[in-house]
Amino acid sequence: MKLALIGAGPRNLMALERLLAWNKRVSAPDLEIHLFDPAGIAGRVWRPDQPHELLMNSLAAKITLFTDHTIEMEGPVIPGPTLLEWARRSGTTFIKENNYKKANCLLNEIAHLTPESYASLGLFGIYQEWFYQQLYAQNSKTVHIIFHKTTVTGIKRLTHHTYELRFDDAAETFDGVSLALGEGMSQLSTHERDLTQFAHAHHLSYLRTGYPAEQDFDKIPAQSHILLRGLGLNFMDAMIMLTQHRGGKFYRNSDDTLTYQASGEEPKIFAGSGRGFPYHARGFDQKVVGETRPLYFLSNQLVAHMIRHQEQMSGQEFLNYIYSDVACTYYTKLVAQKYTGISFHEFEQAFQKDPLSDHVLDSYGIAKDDRLNWDQLAHPEGNVKTANDFKQVMLAYLEQDIAEAKRGNKTGPFASAMDTLRELRTNIRKVITYKLISDEDYAKDILGGFNSFNSFLAVGPPILRLEQLLALIKAGVVEILGPKLQLATEQTHFVAYSELFPEYKVPVTGVIEARLASIDIRISKNPLIQDLLKTGMARPYELHFKDGSTEQLGAMDVTTETAELIDSDGTPVPNVYVWGITTEGRHWLTNGSPIPSVNDVRLRMADMIANQMMTYSE
């Protein structure tokens, strides 16, 4: 049996481990497993040699590649260390033995890692390389494991479930394929092409969307005025690459705030986005590994019942369930801390019966200023009228967000509520995957609104990044322009401004797209994706509306239960599986790293795909 894993990042490394675990049970004769990735083991995102300042937004203690007792799967559980545990046990020795370029930075990082630490991207990449080497050392005598540092450019179906893979002017035949291709790059849009041409004609800088470790920040001159478009995670990385990475220093003050000392090599950074505010910081994590809060509305039982009986709910009901669980966490934490005269359990029971009106809050005397205001969360700018006033609003927003995040995700009402929003992800994913809402509601309520709001609230950076941003604003290095960011060209330069404050226009000589590109296989530059579409072995996922119309998304279409690729005729492609970011839209929130002790979806899928690949029969 000969199997191919295309992409050697976390997903297919987990699939490799699961294949080897399953092989101990089914004992496939002459098993060969080939991995393909031009960037090497761990792939592009987690390259060990990237700038060490780039951080993950998950705790090192809550990242793993190993299965555990919580995973709902059929394969054997083979536990192993989390990223933090590995770093403490054997990370130092492994880094020294392998002579990594940034060994001193990495060793210093390990020496200071705690359960509250966010690891660097590079350290997670090294953990993946160690994981692969362990699997190879333990299994290479019984299973042939071959790594190809190359790009697969095409797949041709030969028989019912044998496939020819083309790479490096060669071709080999395989019995099963797992594709975990990552983001890749897409073709330039008309807008991006126009900006690129304008920048070239006027000797300006324009950096399109991409991984921060791969964007050429050296093109941005010191002291120049530049615009970062986007205020999410990529913005934070770009901000650090243009400041701390250029020699600037952050210092912790006695009042626990940060001060920034410039190196003189920084540009003046202007920034903005559609919403106009940076993502909320992740709350200080007070929960032990595997600890979660019960879900009362979008509960495991409700979702399982709906899947089992193939029921649907409206998009609004779905959102109401989500917001009810989040609000329940918020108000119960608030009452326990601030309204100590109220019976906590009595309030919780009353609130769970009526979570969406003000009746319970009024009857228990919850002050208006203490209430969770969704509109205000979505539009923190309020009724601000001028750019100068907005600067004060931004400072207050950052200071409050940092303070709330530091209160913690078990004791702080807001941080705890946002943590519940993260813990809802498994059930939200199931609602999307199993189509428990209509395609109309999915397009309108989720793609058209909730996805952006959820990212803003619950996909944010560590607290440190918001502290650094605040220090950079106070140092005059960064200025955020406001909501509804606009970018125009005037004669020989770019002009940036907020649509709310059109009188305040800022000329800039460089633009950096500091945001993730939308995932769209139709315009991907990955030769394998284009080959699959051209030959009809793959197709984009489509929404089908009740009026007979359709809407094509940029996701690769796969089966609901088995993750098998679906061809242009709507037929599953036997023993070819696609998972991860290229299915974003068909699935929900596909990026992120596997988390231990929470029945993680990525570990479940790794076992399911490995099981199917090893036991496939016509």
Side-chain angles (χ1 to χ4, degrees):
M1 178 182 286
K2 194 172 173 182
L3 305 174
L5 307 178
I6 305 176
R11 283 180 178 81
N12 269 340
L13 290 178
M14 290 186 291
L16 172 64
E17 188 275 335
R18 291 288 80 201
L19 287 168
L20 297 171
W22 272 96
N23 188 53
K24 293 174 183 176
R25 179 178 293 181
V26 300
S27 191
D30 301 318
L31 178 60
E32 276 189 31
I33 305 173
H34 294 244
L35 288 90
F36 299 85
D37 199 311
I41 296 296
R44 289 169 59 202
V45 178
W46 315 107
R47 285 192 353 250
D49 62 348
Q50 65 188 289
H52 192 253
E53 296 89 348
L54 299 177
L55 297 179
M56 302 184 70
N57 71 327
S58 299
L59 292 177
K62 296 188 176 181
I63 297 169
T64 190
L65 295 173
F66 292 94
T67 54
D68 56 61
H69 68 283
T70 68
I71 308 300
E72 295 173 0
M73 63 180 188
E74 296 183 31
V77 173
I78 302 179
T82 63
L83 173 55
L84 175 65
E85 292 167 341
W86 163 79
R88 287 176 162 178
R89 292 176 192 173
S90 52
T92 297
T93 301
F94 186 78
I95 288 168
K96 288 179 178 178
E97 288 175 349
N98 286 274
N99 298 312
Y100 286 102
K101 287 182 181 178
K102 298 186 180 296
N104 288 339
C105 292
L106 293 159
L107 293 172
N108 183 61
E109 177 184 355
I110 286 176
H112 294 90
L113 272 184
T114 72
E116 291 78 41
S117 296
Y118 292 86
S120 64
L121 300 184
L123 189 65
F124 186 35
I126 294 172
Y127 173 62
Q128 292 175 59
E129 291 188 348
W130 168 83
F131 182 79
Y132 173 74
Q133 289 187 26
Q134 292 292 302
L135 295 176
Y136 186 89
Q138 294 166 11
N139 294 276
S140 59
K141 292 180 181 178
T142 55
V143 177
H144 297 289
I145 304 172
I146 302 101
F147 175 69
H148 306 264
K149 194 173 182 179
T150 188
T151 299
V152 176
T153 57
I155 299 176
K156 179 181 179 182
R157 188 167 172 180
L158 300 177
T159 66
H160 179 69
H161 71 285
T162 60
Y163 303 91
E164 179 185 87
L165 270 61
R166 299 188 298 279
F167 56 96
D168 285 345
D169 298 323
E172 292 192 31
T173 302
F174 293 87
D175 301 297
V177 184
S178 166
L179 297 96
L181 302 178
E183 289 178 35
M185 292 294 287
S186 59
Q187 299 164 21
L188 285 171
S189 66
T190 301
H191 178 60
E192 289 172 323
R193 192 176 298 112
D194 290 344
L195 292 173
T196 301
Q197 291 172 351
F198 184 83
H200 180 74
H202 298 285
H203 307 289
L204 306 174
S205 303
Y206 176 71
L207 303 186
R208 64 173 303 198
T209 53
Y211 293 128
E214 297 176 350
Q215 288 181 301
D216 190 2
F217 292 104
D218 290 341
K219 283 186 175 180
I220 307 300
Q223 307 299 320
S224 63
H225 286 202
I226 60 116
L227 174 71
L228 298 186
R229 282 213 292 187
L231 289 170
L233 299 179
N234 277 37
F235 160 74
M236 296 294 175
D237 289 338
M239 174 187 81
I240 289 300
M241 290 297 293
L242 292 167
T243 56
Q244 187 179 32
H245 186 68
R246 291 190 172 195
K249 303 288 185 184
F250 291 98
Y251 294 98
R252 181 73 62 178
N253 302 315
S254 58
D255 64 355
D256 201 34
T257 61
L258 291 184
T259 297
Y260 182 71
Q261 180 179 316
S263 67
E265 295 301 311
E266 304 89 345
K268 168 70 176 185
I269 299 170
F270 296 92
S273 66
R275 194 179 299 279
F277 286 79
Y279 284 10
H280 283 278
R282 283 182 168 243
F284 175 69
D285 198 334
Q286 301 166 304
K287 295 179 178 178
V288 299
V289 174
E291 181 180 359
T292 58
R293 177 179 166 82
L295 302 175
Y296 300 103
F297 299 94
L298 192 67
S299 64
N300 301 345
Q301 295 81 2
L302 172 71
V303 173
H305 173 88
M306 293 185 71
I307 292 171
R308 191 164 53 247
H309 295 279
Q310 297 182 309
E311 295 178 359
Q312 277 195 329
M313 58 183 142
S314 73
Q316 191 57 57
E317 285 177 304
F318 180 35
L319 293 177
N320 288 347
Y321 284 136
I322 293 170
Y323 293 140
S324 293
D325 266 314
V326 173
C328 187
T329 298
Y330 175 83
Y331 285 112
T332 51
K333 296 293 182 184
L334 178 73
V335 165
Q337 284 192 7
K338 191 170 181 180
Y339 295 84
T340 53
I342 296 174
S343 166
F344 169 80
H345 294 293
E346 180 186 305
F347 172 84
E348 186 175 41
Q349 290 177 350
F351 187 84
Q352 287 174 12
K353 292 176 183 176
D354 186 15
L356 296 175
S357 76
D358 288 336
H359 175 70
V360 174
L361 303 180
D362 291 339
S363 63
Y364 280 90
I366 307 300
K368 299 289 185 184
D369 289 347
D370 285 337
R371 299 190 185 188
L372 200 57
N373 187 324
W374 294 108
D375 288 337
Q376 188 176 334
L377 282 173
H379 303 284
E381 71 277 9
N383 296 317
V384 65
K385 301 297 183 186
T386 69
N388 277 334
D389 288 345
F390 178 77
K391 292 176 185 178
Q392 299 309 310
V393 169
M394 178 58 65
L395 290 173
Y397 168 86
L398 291 171
E399 289 169 351
Q400 181 180 1
D401 194 54
I402 291 165
E404 288 293 338
K406 286 183 175 181
R407 294 178 70 183
N409 66 358
K410 284 180 70 173
T411 53
F414 184 76
S416 299
M418 295 309 106
D419 208 55
T420 292
L421 186 52
R422 281 185 280 276
E423 291 175 356
L424 281 161
R425 288 175 183 173
T426 294
N427 288 344
I428 295 172
R429 287 188 180 106
K430 288 179 179 179
V431 169
I432 303 304
T433 295
Y434 287 93
K435 292 178 166 287
L436 304 186
I437 59 173
S438 69
D439 283 356
E440 281 90 350
D441 287 352
Y442 178 48
K444 174 173 63 76
D445 296 321
I446 308 305
L447 299 179
F450 176 74
N451 279 358
S452 171
F453 195 31
N454 173 72
S455 295
F456 176 60
L457 295 175
V459 188
I463 300 170
L464 174 65
R465 287 294 189 241
L466 274 290
E467 292 181 300
Q468 290 170 331
L469 172 58
L470 181 58
L472 288 166
I473 291 174
K474 289 182 176 179
V477 177
V478 173
E479 181 178 329
I480 298 180
L481 296 175
K484 299 183 180 179
L485 180 70
Q486 302 297 308
L487 176 63
T489 57
E490 280 187 10
Q491 297 179 338
T492 61
H493 55 265
F494 299 109
V495 175
Y497 61 97
S498 165
E499 195 176 289
L500 298 190
F501 322 115
E503 71 285 352
Y504 183 58
K505 291 184 168 66
V506 177
V508 294
T509 57
V511 175
I512 300 173
E513 303 291 9
R515 52 198 169 87
L516 287 175
S518 58
I519 308 303
D520 194 335
I521 62 171
R522 296 167 296 182
I523 56 173
S524 170
K525 293 174 72 173
N526 186 313
L528 176 56
I529 290 176
Q530 290 311 309
D531 179 77
L532 293 171
L533 292 173
K534 182 179 178 181
T535 61
M537 192 179 283
R539 70 177 187 182
Y541 178 59
E542 278 190 344
L543 301 179
H544 294 263
F545 303 132
K546 292 170 184 173
D547 64 3
S549 63
T550 61
E551 179 184 345
Q552 199 175 78
L553 303 183
M556 199 171 282
D557 200 3
V558 293
T559 59
T560 298
E561 293 287 350
T562 63
E564 282 181 297
L565 183 62
I566 295 178
D567 68 18
S568 57
D569 293 328
T571 305
V573 181
N575 221 20
V576 176
Y577 308 94
V578 183
W579 54 319
I581 291 171
T582 47
T583 67
E584 182 65 40
R586 172 64 183 94
H587 295 305
W588 186 78
L589 206 62
T590 53
N591 56 2
S593 304
I595 304 169
S597 302
V598 294
N599 190 26
D600 187 87
V601 63
R602 290 152 287 239
L603 288 162
R604 278 188 278 122
M605 288 194 71
D607 188 77
M608 178 190 71
I609 289 170
N611 178 6
Q612 292 169 165
M613 293 180 84
M614 291 294 293
T615 60
Y616 188 85
S617 60
E618 296 183 25

